[in-house]
Amino acid sequence: MRPYPLTWLYAPGDRPSVVAKALAAGADVVVIDLEDAVAPDRKEYARAATADLLADHQPLPVQVRVNALGTPWAAADLAALTALPGLAGLRLPKVTTPDEIRQVAAATSVPLFALLETALGIEHAFAVATAHPALRGIALGEADLRADLGVRADAGLDWPRSRVIVAARAAGLAPPPQSVHPDIRDPEGLAASCAHGRALGFLGRAAIHPRQLPVIERAYLPTPAEIEHAETILKAAAAQEGAQALPDGRFVDAAVVALARRTLSLARTN
């Protein structure tokens, strides 16, 4: 197992055949969606089908994105799902305050993951990230955030992205995954976007189609050059304690060593 998941594959809860394919697609985590992917008149069916599946343990972690608190379906989603043995976590959409996390945590013992999709949610990122021990991660919902902010160019989201990455780190949470790339026929654009996200500090990405999974993995797994560089750093650190300069001029200290160890931990689980 990897130290952190790299791929989260979404599947609509009202299409059990698609969920079954997602479970066999090779993602690290499957996310059954009861929210945006399901029409209002299909919500009850999606919930019932998801509960039926999760009544049994699953071969890999399965999380559910429930409907947002305050919608007509949220309470029923939580009541139907939180005690099921196949549920690995709940993804809570459109979170804006830490009170929402505490409200759900009081009603369930499963791990929680908050999706920040509004300007207010971004402003409260650290407060949400530290709201309750049940919260295991935060991430962006970029489609809704774009609409809320009126952002047209992708660069307009870089500050919210960095805000969430810093908040997660400050709270001791795992590095956030990137939000989905909406065009499943654009592997080159997906790869370029992943490279940018990795440079910002994201780790892994959500996907909406199995064909996106290998692109995300290639983007986030260490390259042979990165692995070689990390191994050189660890060898130097083992031979001499404290800060030092390598023969090629690269500087090595404790922070550099820690990053090298994370690089190799990902590489060895490939």
Side-chain angles (χ1 to χ4, degrees):
M1 293 293 292
R2 295 183 177 120
Y4 303 107
L6 291 184
T7 52
W8 290 256
L9 179 59
Y10 275 84
D14 64 338
R15 299 178 65 187
S17 62
V18 176
V19 173
K21 292 178 181 178
L23 289 168
D28 294 325
V29 180
V30 167
V31 182
I32 301 177
D33 191 12
L34 303 184
E35 194 215 11
D36 285 346
V38 179
D41 63 353
R42 299 275 290 174
K43 298 284 190 185
E44 290 188 10
Y45 171 73
R47 182 189 307 122
T50 301
D52 184 61
L53 173 71
L54 298 182
D56 296 318
H57 291 283
Q58 298 301 309
L60 74 164
V62 177
Q63 299 175 4
V64 176
R65 181 166 72 173
V66 295
N67 288 282
L69 295 182
T71 65
W73 311 284
D77 289 348
L78 296 175
L81 300 172
T82 53
L84 298 177
L87 180 67
L90 292 172
R91 301 188 81 78
L92 308 178
K94 299 176 177 63
V95 172
T96 58
T97 69
D99 286 342
E100 294 168 74
I101 302 301
R102 289 189 281 265
Q103 178 183 338
V104 177
T108 179
S109 60
V110 301
L112 304 178
F113 300 84
L115 299 176
L116 307 181
E117 307 181 60
T118 64
L120 184 58
I122 298 300
E123 284 297 300
H124 291 161
F126 181 69
V128 169
T130 55
H132 194 277
L135 188 77
R136 306 297 173 79
I138 59 175
L140 286 177
E142 291 191 357
D144 284 274
L145 185 59
R146 283 178 187 274
D148 191 40
L149 297 176
V151 167
R152 297 184 181 274
D154 192 67
L157 291 180
D158 278 356
W159 185 87
R161 289 165 176 161
S162 293
R163 177 75 182 94
V164 168
I165 291 164
V166 171
R169 177 58 183 161
L173 300 176
Q178 279 186 274
S179 185
V180 299
H181 185 73
D183 189 346
I184 65 173
R185 298 166 296 180
D186 180 28
E188 293 82 8
L190 172 60
S193 176
C194 287
H196 180 62
R198 188 182 184 206
L200 289 175
F202 287 114
L203 184 61
R205 188 163 200 166
I208 54 174
H209 194 282
R211 73 179 64 166
Q212 295 180 315
L213 300 177
V215 179
I216 294 169
E217 286 200 347
R218 282 195 299 272
Y220 274 99
L221 285 172
T223 65
E226 290 169 338
I227 293 170
E228 181 181 6
H229 178 50
E231 289 174 339
T232 299
I233 289 170
L234 293 187
K235 287 178 183 177
Q240 178 181 324
E241 295 184 359
Q244 59 180 297
L246 299 178
D248 62 5
R250 290 175 294 178
F251 186 75
V252 176
D253 64 5
V256 173
V257 171
L259 184 58
R261 288 195 177 113
R262 190 175 94 165
T263 297
L264 293 182
S265 72
L266 283 170
R268 288 166 182 159
T269 51
N270 181 14

